[in-house]
Amino acid sequence: MSVPVPCTFEVNGRTYRPGARVYAAICVDGCGDEYLSESLIRGRMPNLAGAIRKGKRFMGRGVIPSFTNPNNSSIITGAPPAVHGINGNYFLDPESGGAVMMNDGKFLKAPTIVATAARAGRRCAIVTAKEKLRTILAHDLDGIGFSAEKAGQAERGTHGIDGVEALVGEKTPPIYSPDASVYVLKAGAAMVEQGLADLLYLSLTDYMQHKFAPEEPESLDFHARLDEQIGRLLAAGVVLGITADHGMNAKHSADGRPRVVYLDPILLRLVGPGCRVILPITDPYVAHHGSLGSFAVVHVPPGTDLARVRRGLMGVPEVTEVMEKDIACEKLQLHPERLGDLVVMCGRDTTLGTSPAEHDLSQLDRPLRSHGGRYEEMVPMIVSEPLNAAYRAKAEGDPRNFDIFDFTINGTGS
Amino acid sequence: MSVPVPCTFEVNGRTYRPGARVYAAICVDGCGDEYLSESLIRGRMPNLAGAIRKGKRFMGRGVIPSFTNPNNSSIITGAPPAVHGINGNYFLDPESGGAVMMNDGKFLKAPTIVATAARAGRRCAIVTAKEKLRTILAHDLDGIGFSAEKAGQAERGTHGIDGVEALVGEKTPPIYSPDASVYVLKAGAAMVEQGLADLLYLSLTDYMQHKFAPEEPESLDFHARLDEQIGRLLAAGVVLGITADHGMNAKHSADGRPRVVYLDPILLRLVGPGCRVILPITDPYVAHHGSLGSFAVVHVPPGTDLARVRRGLMGVPEVTEVMEKDIACEKLQLHPERLGDLVVMCGRDTTLGTSPAEHDLSQLDRPLRSHGGRYEEMVPMIVSEPLNAAYRAKAEGDPRNFDIFDFTINGTGS
């Protein structure tokens, strides 16, 4: 087994100095801090508990919109959407007037930490649960990059690896299952054990978190399975950094029906025709959430009195924040090229939709849990080794989830 | 020892049905969820751990401004500031032009749960750490009400009890100490053990949380001491509800200096003379926080273009939200009589001040930790017994910290 080569590289304004250790950052998709707390107090995550006691657990601020693509893109670049350009899963192309899905590396406007590390001599690997995310995150990577969803199709020429099923010892898992996430960690652990990679990004899916509350048995069992693999990684000597892309909250009324504010009719009343609502949570994996999240982008016709629309939207009881585009770009560090005129956020227990006809809620087989807004912004961060003084101070500030590679690589060791 | 008398009473639109049990709600002042997590994972709160495993831990949304008085007033009334009128510690009296401290029950516009329960036949007690809070919370109470700060001065005629020091077995503690909070719980446990009260509100002080981060030894020791008393209360058969008034975050730069945005000079530039900034965290106990929190109220001269000032304030990098008065009253459920023209909030690691001359930072003997804004809004809620189905559903929504009496009394039992 080869010893990892210490090196220094710079990407998006930060310098990383990995030593002769294996480093892995894990993004536990949708892991609100409560998921860890509930599993930990029931003794279901003993390996994580050990890592916390040895290292540090603290809260990080994620990217808003608190969705998967913007946050994973931020974690892999160490930078906000203003730098990497991925404001959501979708944006409205002003030229075509169509909604464009950002599921390709070409939309990424910044180099990734992992691709840069590979050029500096590290043996890098990215494993995602969903294929859509692999295509963004493994952009330009001279290393290993594959998804659990298409593990069996990984080939050396295109994915830097083949024989993944044999390596993991398991067939490609179904994407709508807890197995998809566990598979990502199993693949990561196997690659480390086999000496195939020494700087890894392992990004899970929030299928389980969308379905189950933190204390439900299915959730506890899922986290126990994650913990087993965390234990494997720790046993292999990996310096682990763990965070989440966003939290997760129940978004349904007591009778189990989704709580939704439909924006199209409200905008029709406030502005008239010609508005366009983009829900950047929308993705091809509809069973999770029915495209219902707590963040929306609104495009209005030219000449619209934005101040009046802002006040009108703030008058909707469930709406919590409305920002004009320039303010949203500043406060949320979003990219101006792929944003509408207003961003709208709603409360902890509510989602924003377009119109009832456009949301297929028949796919929801459990009461809706979702994310996207301010109440899913804060996520746990865990580093498995003690932080040095500079990073202990940094943790006592406003650490971001996309600082996780920085904390894991630069924050450990002296 | 007398058996508690089941009864039914209504207050501020809610009905409470306490059974033949002793109920106690505890407000652990400044208890961000991380304080519990850090102490729990180190095994320093075994009694709390048992209560969580038997009952339920979940996150509650507090009142913004995330300060002590508005939240304690909400907890004791089960209602937001729009109902009880306590928007902060201070407000600007439009008639006198002076800042008025709301440290008296006369400012409370709504009856309290505890006073109403006492009239319905329960034996009620309120113990606070600080005297300032006792005068608000014990308003109109036919029962026991005293503060740890002035425990030795409690008299039967005015406080419903005397001989507190003998009861607790300890002298009145200094208010600037961990002992002040522990004393509150000791007094509560002693009263329950002696059969003096069967419905209690025990409200601590955040002196320790302002000084120490969750994982610091002083903080862990403090929480272990709280846990001992929680164990006493549980052993006495109490149904416990635990929450916090607000969270707590580090608000200083890496060199330990407070991070402050001073609003007076900004408003002078944006508006000109005649603005007035009220910091509702201000109180007579200055050693905690130097009157620096993450929420401010701004009064502007009549005729000022509020939209322009809002946009100007949003242009300050550290500012996160600015709301006009009517929107703030709606979204934050504040009382319109005691509010200025704009409310301003800032980020997790920053505070708002008036001008440097008005803040005595020499009293801060540790790097500033404080609260008041959006990032200290979410707090833990714990009920020591299993929730019934209706309240399990309610917990999966947007439970408020001021629902703690409701959850504790109505949410347990069938």
Side-chain angles (χ1 to χ4, degrees), chain A residues 6 28 39 53 72 136-137 167 189 232 270 279 283 311 342 366:
Chain A
V28 186
S39 289
R53 283 190 290 260
N72 269 277
I136 302 174
L137 303 183
L167 176 78
R232 265 177 83 183
L270 280 173
L279 303 175
D283 75 8
R311 285 190 60 90
L342 292 167
R366 302 257 315 161

Side-chain angles (χ1 to χ4, degrees), chain B residues 85-395:
Chain B
I86 310 283
N87 288 342
N89 298 356
Y90 269 88
F91 73 102
L92 187 70
D93 183 349
E95 286 175 27
S96 71
V100 177
M101 184 162 69
M102 285 185 277
N103 62 346
D104 193 285
K106 75 179 181 199
F107 293 105
L108 207 59
K109 290 172 180 279
T112 73
I113 295 168
V114 176
T116 312
R119 277 192 292 277
R122 299 292 295 205
R123 308 178 73 197
C124 294
I126 289 179
V127 189
T128 61
K130 292 180 182 174
E131 177 68 8
K132 73 159 184 186
L133 209 51
R134 201 267 312 171
T135 56
I136 302 174
L137 303 182
H139 183 59
D140 210 18
L141 171 64
D142 182 10
I144 297 169
F146 63 93
S147 68
E149 184 177 4
K150 303 210 167 173
Q153 296 170 41
E155 290 181 20
R156 191 157 299 271
T158 47
H159 299 76
I161 193 169
D162 54 18
V164 169
E165 293 186 343
L167 176 78
V168 176
E170 268 179 40
K171 290 278 181 201
T172 300
I175 189 65
Y176 291 131
S177 73
D179 305 338
S181 285
V182 177
Y183 200 94
V184 172
L185 295 188
K186 284 184 174 174
M191 286 191 290
V192 172
E193 287 162 358
Q194 304 287 319
L196 300 177
D198 58 41
L199 202 155
L200 300 90
Y201 183 53
L202 307 172
S203 184
L204 315 187
T205 169
D206 58 5
Y207 172 77
M208 289 299 285
Q209 290 85 349
H210 272 291
K211 279 197 166 339
F212 299 104
E215 73 283 6
E216 293 188 81
E218 294 86 345
S219 179
L220 298 172
D221 291 345
F222 172 65
H223 285 85
R225 292 179 66 195
L226 298 184
D227 191 69
E228 260 183 73
Q229 302 306 317
I230 287 170
R232 264 178 84 182
L233 287 160
L234 292 171
V238 173
V239 185
L240 264 190
I242 301 174
T243 191
D245 47 355
H246 54 76
M248 186 71 73
N249 281 306
K251 310 271 184 185
H252 58 82
S253 51
D255 64 5
R257 282 186 302 183
R259 287 169 56 93
V260 193
V261 173
Y262 291 106
L263 290 175
D264 280 355
I266 293 170
L267 288 164
L268 194 63
R269 180 169 51 75
L270 281 173
V271 184
C275 291
R276 184 80 183 268
V277 173
I278 296 287
L279 303 175
I281 192 177
T282 308
D283 75 8
Y285 304 81
V286 292
H288 293 51
H289 47 61
S291 299
L292 293 169
S294 299
F295 181 97
V297 172
V298 174
H299 296 257
V300 297
T304 302
D305 178 354
L306 277 176
R308 208 182 66 82
V309 182
R310 172 190 159 265
R311 284 190 61 90
L313 287 168
M314 281 300 268
V316 177
E318 294 87 347
V319 168
T320 50
E321 291 177 69
V322 181
M323 294 182 191
E324 301 89 334
K325 176 178 176 170
D326 61 332
I327 292 180
C329 284
E330 172 82 20
K331 298 298 171 195
L332 308 180
Q333 299 172 277
L334 298 178
H335 201 287
E337 274 176 33
R338 297 170 184 164
L339 201 62
D341 302 297
L342 293 167
V343 306
V344 185
M345 289 185 252
C346 67
R348 175 159 63 135
D349 58 348
T350 311
T351 60
L352 300 170
T354 49
S355 64
E358 289 182 48
H359 294 271
D360 178 9
L361 306 184
S362 67
Q363 301 269 345
L364 295 171
D365 58 355
R366 302 256 316 160
L368 180 66
R369 302 175 64 78
S370 193
H371 53 94
R374 186 70 76 179
Y375 290 92
E376 296 85 28
E377 180 187 23
M378 300 306 296
V379 292
M381 294 179 77
I382 291 160
V383 180
S384 67
E385 307 249 327
L387 294 181
N388 53 41
Y391 282 77
R392 280 200 304 275
K394 202 171 164 176

Side-chain angles (χ1 to χ4, degrees), chain A residues 158-179:
Chain A
T158 47
H159 300 77
I161 193 169
D162 53 18
V164 169
E165 293 186 343
L167 176 78
V168 176
E170 266 179 42
K171 290 277 180 202
T172 299
I175 188 66
Y176 290 131
S177 73
D179 305 337

